[in-house]
Amino acid sequence: MSTRVHRTVTELPVPDDWDFGDFPYGLEPLTLPEPPTPGTETAISDVRPADPCPPDLGVRGPRTGPALAAEEISHQLFWFRWITGHQATFAIWQLTAHALHQARSRTDPAPSLRAMTDLTDAYTAMLLYTSSCPADVYTAVIRPSMYLQHRGFSGTWAPDFVPVRSLLRGKKTEWEGTPEAERLKKAVRMYHTVHAGVAAKLVPGGRSLLQESAAEITPTRPETQALIYDHYFLTLRAPVDATELVGQLRSRLRAITQDVAANGLYPGLTPQEDAAFPEELRGEEVRRGYEEGFATVLGRIDTAAGQLRPRVLHHSTP
């Protein structure tokens, strides 16, 4: 049953201690090292899970919140979610890549596998967050912005996804059969379920920009695609140490959690819209684990990230 608050707001609720961007729901550029490649993954201290389970980053956010009466306000909030949620995802993927390498290079991979499970859950939560806009906002604002960047703009261009692509596509790993590997496989399956639901919610026809433009454009080189993708999401590449990476990730997790606490995961969600959600997004595991548990999922990553020691993550060979 929907718990929608039956009122509208003309100004976005802002937590008293909001400290992200130059103004409420403003953006910040992200600076990341190049994605980990063979020989660079060991440049970060162990990525380990947050045990025991930490408290939430803030007050658990409601599933719904006040409707946003003004179009400008709605667009501002969902643009913040689209860009900032993706930026947090890129950092999460980087930590996942390091944990994956560490699992393969240590005699006891269990802690690394538990960390990858938490990180995969966080990625799934970010999918819900970035896609929380109504379909009409996605169609009117977000999809055209990607089209204007490049007619074939695609999530497959994300540089930080490359090192974890095989893992997140559910390919068999060398740890099959262990309890930790089974929990990781379940987290990956949930990611696929949510990803399918998000696609059905935002693009009912199911065709991406890349699919629609395939017959009329000549693909650019992968290096150019990566630059275009980073540019769109305000992401720069430079050598940064773990302290800087973690600081950028944690500031975004905090802002995201505060936003959901103030506005709900789905602001202004009507009972009719709720009932129209794709089947993949209406399951009990999604509702309890990633919507109701949104702050807890991000809280585990925040705590785990805070444990990392400051070391250089990547540097280019002269």
Side-chain angles (χ1 to χ4, degrees):
M1 183 174 66
S2 173
T3 57
R4 181 193 178 202
V5 179
H6 293 284
R7 60 187 174 87
T8 60
V9 295
T10 55
E11 292 185 3
L12 283 170
V14 181
D16 292 337
D17 54 350
W18 181 271
D19 60 358
F20 190 89
D22 290 337
F23 50 86
Y25 308 107
L27 303 177
E28 289 188 2
L30 175 72
T31 303
L32 288 179
E34 293 293 335
T37 56
T40 66
E41 307 96 325
T42 55
I44 187 172
S45 58
D46 284 358
V47 180
R48 291 182 175 271
D51 292 322
C53 185
D56 292 352
L57 287 176
V59 177
R60 184 183 294 271
R63 185 165 184 267
T64 64
L68 306 174
E71 182 178 86
E72 180 181 351
I73 290 175
S74 174
H75 291 178
Q76 179 183 341
L77 177 63
F78 291 120
W79 184 250
F80 169 83
R81 291 185 172 196
W82 183 251
I83 298 298
T84 306
H86 273 87
Q87 290 179 339
T89 295
F90 304 157
I92 287 168
W93 283 340
Q94 287 228 354
L95 295 183
T96 305
H98 285 286
L100 178 60
H101 172 78
Q102 289 159 9
R104 288 171 170 159
S105 61
R106 286 164 172 75
T107 55
D108 180 15
S112 299
L113 295 174
R114 292 197 298 271
M116 283 190 281
T117 299
D118 287 347
L119 288 159
T120 301
D121 282 339
Y123 171 36
T124 301
M126 285 298 95
L127 281 174
L128 292 175
Y129 181 73
T130 56
S131 69
S132 58
C133 60
D136 60 342
V137 174
Y138 180 82
T139 300
V141 178
I142 294 175
R143 188 176 172 98
S145 72
M146 293 186 289
Y147 179 86
L148 290 173
Q149 191 80 353
H150 191 286
R151 291 185 182 181
F153 195 89
S154 171
T156 63
W157 297 358
D160 301 295
F161 186 72
V162 174
V164 296
R165 179 188 292 135
S166 178
L167 175 74
L168 293 176
R169 287 185 174 174
K171 303 296 184 182
K172 185 175 292 188
T173 69
E174 53 266 54
W175 309 289
E176 295 291 317
T178 65
E180 292 82 8
E182 291 306 306
R183 284 192 286 270
L184 176 57
K185 285 173 64 176
K186 180 180 178 181
V188 171
R189 287 196 298 269
M190 289 305 302
Y191 145 64
H192 281 282
T193 296
V194 169
H195 189 272
V198 164
K201 171 177 175 273
L202 296 182
V203 191
R207 287 180 61 81
S208 67
L209 289 177
L210 184 63
Q211 291 170 326
E212 288 186 347
S213 64
E216 61 178 276
I217 65 171
T218 301
T220 59
R221 296 178 300 168
E223 312 91 277
T224 304
Q225 293 173 347
L227 286 170
I228 292 172
Y229 196 86
D230 277 351
H231 180 269
Y232 175 81
F233 286 108
L234 300 180
T235 300
L236 309 173
R237 299 287 169 172
V240 298
D241 64 23
T243 298
E244 189 172 353
L245 172 66
V246 165
Q248 293 179 97
L249 173 58
R250 298 185 75 185
S251 69
R252 283 160 177 79
L253 295 178
R254 174 179 169 81
I256 288 166
T257 307
Q258 289 179 316
D259 165 26
V260 172
N263 300 294
L265 183 57
Y266 304 111
L269 184 71
T270 67
Q272 295 76 17
E273 290 169 337
D274 195 5
F277 268 31
E279 180 180 356
E280 295 91 341
L281 301 183
R282 289 189 278 112
E284 187 69 13
E285 287 185 280
V286 174
R287 292 284 169 93
R288 291 181 63 85
Y290 300 97
E291 292 182 350
E292 295 178 13
F294 185 84
T296 299
V297 169
L298 297 196
R300 288 186 63 80
I301 300 308
D302 177 73
T303 300
Q307 298 170 169
L308 293 172
R309 296 189 302 274
R311 296 168 64 181
V312 174
L313 298 185
H314 177 86
H315 61 83
S316 301
T317 302

